[in-house]
């Protein structure tokens, strides 16, 4: 028995070593940094221990802007992308011919490089010396005034940002949802049809509850993913996100560490801890809600 | 409500690229299910029995032929307009709804003048639940019920709209042996109590024989024989039906008929007046053997299985088409287990003769 135990630990050792060195230790370190005031990498010194880093970060207008941006992105993109993905998946499940073609098309963004997607969005939205971007052409065509989506008003930039995020995260959601819908036992639908259930009621009363675990999974991971948003913002607005007013929390952390104003590991750590607490809280709430709603499922 | 099937045919497009032509699931099925009777569609898997059931309930559209409920042609009606209740093989109970919500589900779909109030729905649901004796389980989820209880809930859900025809797809196949016995009596009771025309599908001949008023034996989409269970058992029209019905299965021998006498392995075993001289496949039901010291059919004894009421004598014979000849004999008879040979005479009405080529019954 003991020998078996030893063997088990031995098998776990490589993974534990890696996780410990690259995940657990840095996590603890970040936590420690966040309380060390004015920590300096080079001299490995700090002035004091306390909550000053948090206080500074929470009063920093750049951080507050990043916080606001991130929250807006989360609140807009998660429900919208999940909702649209659900609609598309239901549609995909309903059509027989060309289903594979559509599935491939919808999945393309998933295998496309973020920066390539950013380039495409530039063509769509960015004003240059030669053109106002394709979307502006459309707006003109309908008689509207041109909008600068990349360097213009906040709402326009936020719109492009959310559009971009939704477009990028959708394929994965569609993939999971179509397979979830396909795995619902045909007999439930047969039984419902015999009873003359309307298509909408079948969707609401049978399909939706049956695939709800997948939906909750997507919402939870969607929240986490959106809170960690950074690279997509860079792809659209460049590396100086503070100037564009489109920074995110992760972007703020990065800037504090390596940006122009870099060299502040203590502030970066405090901001990272704040993000961690937010994500943890929201995920716990999500889990509680999903447990409550899917209770009694086999 | 009698159900009439006229020349019912269903073909599916062939999925295999090599083979040409459509797959015929059901071919030219004509049959009248009498009002208030219980009919068992019986056959091996792939014989088209489930397809027939799904055509009656409207989930599949026949390629040709008509379906009538009474005098009304329902061939092109959608399932909900036919007034059928269906119990699916795995019951298809909605796992996220309680038993009560499951039973009420069909009632909530009613529209227009048929629409019921909440109280009426409850009342009907409890009525259906009483019929299958599950009133105590109304607030449970299907996952918390045993297989037999789930089966009852499925029946209650199928019955709650008072359908004209009740259809059951392999109703007992998910239950263990003891529960199967109990549930089949239960289904029979419910059917008798409501007088509802019932069609059920099974591959288990014992199940079909025990509770059906009429059985329909199918093979490869073609109806082989219809009739009362005992009738079909006693007088199968061909070798397939004879082999499919009965446990233990019928014993088969190579034999031939000469001058009105049946010979098996050279031994003159029985008089078969009226049968033409020819080589035949002989089918002898297990209960058709009489243990007799001077019996004409001599078999090598290989063992005896005691089953309480009966004993089963297992033996071998050179002309036998099965590895073992199995005969069922009353347990009160003494069998000499020490002997090497065992001799039988045969009961004339338990011996069936089939043509070698067509497998049709010839005697």
């Amino acid at each position: 028995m003991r020998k078996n135990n030893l063997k088990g630990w031995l098998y776990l050792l490589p993974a534990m070593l890696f996780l410990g060195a690259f995940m657990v230790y840095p996590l603890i370190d970040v936590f420690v940094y966040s309380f060390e005031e004015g920590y300096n990498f080079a001299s490995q010194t700090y002035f004091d221990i306390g909550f000053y880093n948090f206080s500074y970060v929470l009063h920093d207008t750049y951080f507050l802007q990043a916080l606001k941006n991130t929250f807006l992105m989360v609140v807009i993109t998660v429900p919208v992308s999940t909702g649209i993905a659900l609609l598309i998946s239901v549609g995909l499940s309903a059509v027989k011919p060309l289903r594979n073609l559509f599935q491939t098309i919808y999945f393309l963004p998933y295998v496309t490089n973020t920066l390539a997607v950013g380039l495409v969005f530039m063509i769509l939205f960015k004003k240059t010396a030669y053109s106002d971007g394709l979307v502006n052409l459309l707006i003109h065509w309908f008689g509207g005034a041109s909008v600068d989506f990349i360097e213009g008003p906040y709402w326009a930039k936020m719109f492009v940002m959310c559009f971009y995020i939704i477009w990028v995260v959708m394929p994965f959601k569609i993939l999971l949802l179509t397979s979830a819908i396909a795995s619902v036992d045909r007999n439930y639908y047969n039984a419902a049809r015999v009873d003359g259930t309307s298509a909408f009621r079948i969707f609401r009363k049978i399909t939706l509850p049956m695939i709800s675990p997948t939906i909750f999974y997507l919402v939870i991971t969607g929240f986490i993913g959106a809170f960690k948003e950074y690279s997509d913002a860079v792809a659209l607005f460049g590396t100086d996100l503070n100037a564009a007013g489109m920074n995110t929390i992760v972007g703020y952390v990065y800037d504090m560490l390596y940006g122009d104003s870099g060299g502040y590991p203590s502030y970066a750590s405090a901001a990272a801890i704040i993000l961690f607490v937010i994500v943890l809280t929201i995920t716990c709430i999500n889990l509680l809600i999903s447990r409550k709603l899917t209770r009694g499922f086999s | 409500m009698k159900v009439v099937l006229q020349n019912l045919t269903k073909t599916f497009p062939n999925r295999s690229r090599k083979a040409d032509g459509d797959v015929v699931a059901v071919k030219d099925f004509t049959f009248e299910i009498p009002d208030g009777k219980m009919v068992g569609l019986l056959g091996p898997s792939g014989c088209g029995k489930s397809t027939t059931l799904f055509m009656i309930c409207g989930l599949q559209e026949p390629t040709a032929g008509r379906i009538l409920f009474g005098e009304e042609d329902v061939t092109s009606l959608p399932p909900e307009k036919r007034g059928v209740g269906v119990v699916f093989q795995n019951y298809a109970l909605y796992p996220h709804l309680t038993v009560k919500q499951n039973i009420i589900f069909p009632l909530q779909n009613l529209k227009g003048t048929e629409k019921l109030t909440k109280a009426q729905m409850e009342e009907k649901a409890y009525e259906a639940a009483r019929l299958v004796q599950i009133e105590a389980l109304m607030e449970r989820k299907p996952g918390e019920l045993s297989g037999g209880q789930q089966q009852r809930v499925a029946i209650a859900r199928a019955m709650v709209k008072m359908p004209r025809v009740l259809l059951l797809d392999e109703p007992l196949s998910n239950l263990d042996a003891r529960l199967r016995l109990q549930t089949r009596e239960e289904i029979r009771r419910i059917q008798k109590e409501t007088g509802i025309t019932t069609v059920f599908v099974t591959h288990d001949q014992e199940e079909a024989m025990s509770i059906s008023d009429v059985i329909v034996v199918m093979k490869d989409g073609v109806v082989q024989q219809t009739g009362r269970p005992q009738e079909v058992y006693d007088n199968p029209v061909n070798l397939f039906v004879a082999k499919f019905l009965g446990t233990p299965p019928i014993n088969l021998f190579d034999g031939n008929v000469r001058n009105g006498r049946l010979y098996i392995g050279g031994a003159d075993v029985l008089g078969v007046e009226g049968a033409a001289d020819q080589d035949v496949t002989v089918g002898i039901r297990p209960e058709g053997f009489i243990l007799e010291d001077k019996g004409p059919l001599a078999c090598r004894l290989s063992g005896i299985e005691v089953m309480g009421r009966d004993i089963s004598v297992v033996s071998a014979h050179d002309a036998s088409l099965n590895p073992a000849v199995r005969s069922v004999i009353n347990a009160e008879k003494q069998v000499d287990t020490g002997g090497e040979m065992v001799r039988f005479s045969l009961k004339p009405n338990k011996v069936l003769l089939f043509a070698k080529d067509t497998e049709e019954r010839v005697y």
Side-chain angles (χ1 to χ4, degrees):
Chain A
M1 196 66 201
R2 271 192 68 82
K3 203 176 160 194
N4 268 342
N5 249 334
L6 208 67
K7 230 180 185 175
W9 287 111
L10 198 67
Y11 288 141
L12 281 174
L13 196 63
M16 295 225 300
L17 277 181
F18 272 96
L19 282 176
F22 295 106
M23 290 286 297
V24 180
Y25 171 69
L27 268 176
I28 296 169
D29 226 20
V30 165
F31 194 72
V32 172
Y33 280 151
S34 69
F35 287 98
E36 294 175 349
E37 290 166 8
Y39 178 79
N40 187 313
F41 263 138
S43 61
Q44 303 265 325
T45 55
Y46 54 90
F47 304 123
D48 204 357
I49 289 179
F51 288 93
Y52 173 75
N53 295 327
F54 291 96
S55 162
Y56 174 87
V57 167
L58 287 171
H59 287 97
D60 186 350
T61 48
Y62 282 146
F63 181 77
L64 294 178
Q65 181 65 43
L67 197 65
K68 181 186 163 197
N69 289 339
T70 309
F71 262 103
L72 267 177
M73 288 173 201
V74 168
V75 168
I76 295 171
T77 62
V78 174
V80 172
S81 64
T82 312
I84 298 177
L86 190 58
L87 281 181
I88 291 176
S89 308
V90 171
L92 272 177
S93 313
V95 294
K96 276 249 165 64
L98 298 181
R99 181 190 292 179
N100 285 333
L101 177 72
F102 282 122
Q103 258 171 350
T104 311
I105 292 174
Y106 285 121
F107 199 63
L108 273 180
Y110 194 66
V111 292
T112 310
N113 186 293
T114 310
L115 296 176
V117 179
L119 207 64
V120 173
F121 269 70
M122 285 301 162
I123 295 170
L124 283 174
F125 290 103
K126 194 171 170 68
K127 262 190 173 165
T128 62
Y130 318 102
S131 122
D132 280 0
L134 282 174
V135 174
N136 270 324
L137 278 181
L138 263 180
I139 295 176
H140 284 303
W141 200 66
F142 284 104
S146 116
V147 179
D148 189 340
F149 285 101
I150 304 299
E151 278 149 15
Y154 180 68
W155 68 263
K157 286 191 277 194
M158 189 47 87
F159 170 79
V160 175
M161 187 71 238
C162 290
F163 194 104
Y164 184 99
I165 296 172
I166 290 168
W167 195 72
V168 168
V169 298
M170 197 102 85
F172 182 65
K173 301 192 172 187
I174 294 174
L175 183 77
L176 283 201
L177 286 173
T178 37
S179 60
I181 290 173
S183 64
V184 176
D185 191 339
R186 296 291 319 160
N187 270 322
Y188 294 125
Y189 294 129
N190 281 339
R193 259 179 71 199
V194 168
D195 295 330
T197 320
S198 67
F200 178 67
R201 189 156 191 258
I202 288 180
F203 175 72
R204 210 166 56 90
K205 289 283 181 178
I206 299 171
T207 312
L208 213 51
M210 294 279 180
I211 63 171
S212 61
T214 304
I215 295 177
F216 282 119
Y217 168 76
L218 288 177
V219 168
I220 289 169
T221 53
F223 266 107
I224 295 170
F227 269 115
K228 298 199 319 200
E229 193 52 62
Y230 173 54
S231 63
D232 297 337
V234 173
L236 281 179
F237 303 106
T239 44
D240 196 353
L241 289 172
N242 278 335
M246 289 305 292
N247 210 350
T248 64
I249 300 178
V250 175
Y252 179 87
V253 172
Y254 182 86
D255 286 346
M256 276 298 172
L257 278 175
Y258 307 111
D260 289 337
S261 56
Y264 301 104
S266 299
Y267 297 153
S269 301
I273 294 290
I274 292 171
L275 175 63
F276 174 72
V277 170
I278 294 173
V279 172
L280 188 69
T281 314
I282 300 246
T283 306
C284 286
I285 294 172
N286 271 328
L287 280 175
L288 278 180
I289 294 174
S290 70
R291 287 241 176 88
K292 201 162 189 184
L293 287 179
T294 55
R295 201 179 36 195
F297 259 70
S298 43
Chain B
M1 184 66 55
K2 71 173 181 188
V3 176
V4 184
L5 311 177
Q6 289 178 349
N7 309 98
L8 208 56
T9 299
K10 177 77 184 176
T11 59
F12 292 105
N14 202 325
R15 287 223 188 88
S16 142
R17 276 177 210 152
K18 283 178 197 153
D20 292 327
D22 294 341
V23 177
V24 181
V26 178
K27 196 174 172 187
D28 208 17
F29 190 163
T30 299
F31 186 58
E32 185 177 322
I33 298 162
D35 183 23
K37 288 284 194 275
M38 185 142 184
V39 174
L41 296 180
L42 177 64
S45 54
C47 74
K49 54 193 193 302
S50 285
T51 309
T52 307
L53 193 83
F54 285 142
M55 283 194 285
I56 297 173
C57 85
L59 284 171
Q60 275 174 359
E61 209 178 322
T63 316
R66 296 204 303 158
I67 301 165
L68 299 132
F69 283 7
E71 302 304 318
E72 184 193 354
D73 188 339
V74 298
T75 316
S76 52
L77 279 186
E80 70 270 19
K81 298 238 169 76
R82 295 188 182 194
V84 290
V86 184
V87 176
F88 289 90
Q89 185 169 3
N90 59 359
Y91 317 137
L93 297 173
Y94 309 125
H96 50 288
L97 303 180
T98 63
V99 168
K100 188 161 87 184
Q101 287 168 328
N102 263 289
I103 300 175
I104 286 183
F105 195 90
L107 298 175
Q108 290 167 329
N109 290 326
L110 297 174
K111 287 187 214 85
T113 52
E114 290 178 312
K115 211 171 161 112
L116 302 171
T117 64
K118 253 195 162 146
Q120 285 172 312
M121 284 188 209
E122 288 256 315
E123 198 191 308
K124 279 191 183 262
Y126 272 97
E127 210 174 291
R130 252 195 306 282
L131 184 68
V132 295
Q133 297 163 350
I134 49 157
E135 305 104 297
L137 309 172
M138 292 299 256
E139 299 307 326
R140 299 241 197 122
K141 294 261 172 81
E144 301 161 354
L145 302 180
S146 71
Q149 290 168 328
Q150 289 185 19
Q151 166 79 277
R152 284 158 191 254
V153 176
I155 294 175
R157 186 177 65 179
M159 295 291 291
V160 74
K161 276 210 278 188
M162 283 298 145
R164 301 191 282 181
V165 178
L166 180 64
L167 305 167
L168 305 122
D169 188 7
E170 300 271 3
L172 307 178
S173 62
N174 284 358
L175 304 175
D176 61 49
R178 185 184 291 267
L179 209 52
R180 200 175 284 199
L181 215 69
Q182 192 187 336
T183 310
R184 80 184 187 201
E185 279 155 22
E186 183 76 9
I187 292 175
R188 187 60 169 154
R189 175 185 68 77
I190 293 164
Q191 195 269 334
K192 280 255 165 72
E193 229 172 275
T194 53
I196 188 168
T197 309
T198 303
V199 182
F200 78 101
V201 156
T202 179
H203 62 271
D204 180 354
Q205 53 88 24
E206 202 182 328
E207 196 175 305
M209 302 262 292
S210 56
I211 55 172
S212 317
D213 293 310
V214 178
I215 59 171
V216 177
V217 185
M218 297 179 75
K219 180 198 176 194
D220 299 335
V222 181
V223 175
Q224 305 290 310
Q225 192 170 4
T226 61
R228 288 192 299 105
Q230 194 62 49
E231 236 170 66
V232 178
Y233 180 81
D234 288 339
N235 285 308
V237 294
N238 58 31
L239 190 59
F240 172 78
V241 177
K243 280 200 303 205
F244 200 73
L245 294 187
T247 41
I250 196 164
N251 297 293
L252 299 176
F253 296 88
D254 271 330
N256 54 62
V257 177
R258 266 175 290 147
N259 304 323
R261 303 294 302 177
L262 173 65
Y263 293 86
I264 294 175
D268 176 350
V269 292
L270 198 68
V272 285
E273 282 75 30
D277 288 7
Q278 60 187 309
D279 285 345
V280 289
T281 303
V282 185
I284 307 171
R285 292 283 181 203
E287 68 274 23
F289 295 88
I290 305 164
L291 210 55
E292 243 178 30
D293 293 341
K294 294 200 167 58
L297 188 65
C299 300
R300 293 185 302 279
L301 182 64
S302 30
I304 282 169
E305 290 168 7
V306 182
M307 295 181 289
R309 177 170 48 94
D310 303 314
I311 48 176
S312 162
V313 179
V314 186
S315 55
H317 191 277
D318 288 335
S320 171
L321 297 172
N322 319 90
V325 177
R326 203 170 271 276
S327 52
V328 175
I329 284 153
N330 196 307
E332 284 154 23
K333 260 236 154 75
Q334 287 298 317
V335 183
D336 178 15
T337 51
E340 275 192 8
M341 299 299 279
V342 59
R343 300 186 77 91
F344 299 106
S345 61
L346 304 174
K347 296 179 190 165
N349 60 340
K350 293 293 180 185
V351 178
L352 312 164
L353 305 186
F354 303 93
K356 274 271 171 210
D357 44 357
T358 59
E359 302 199 336
E360 293 297 314
R361 173 101 177 271
V362 292
Y363 176 80

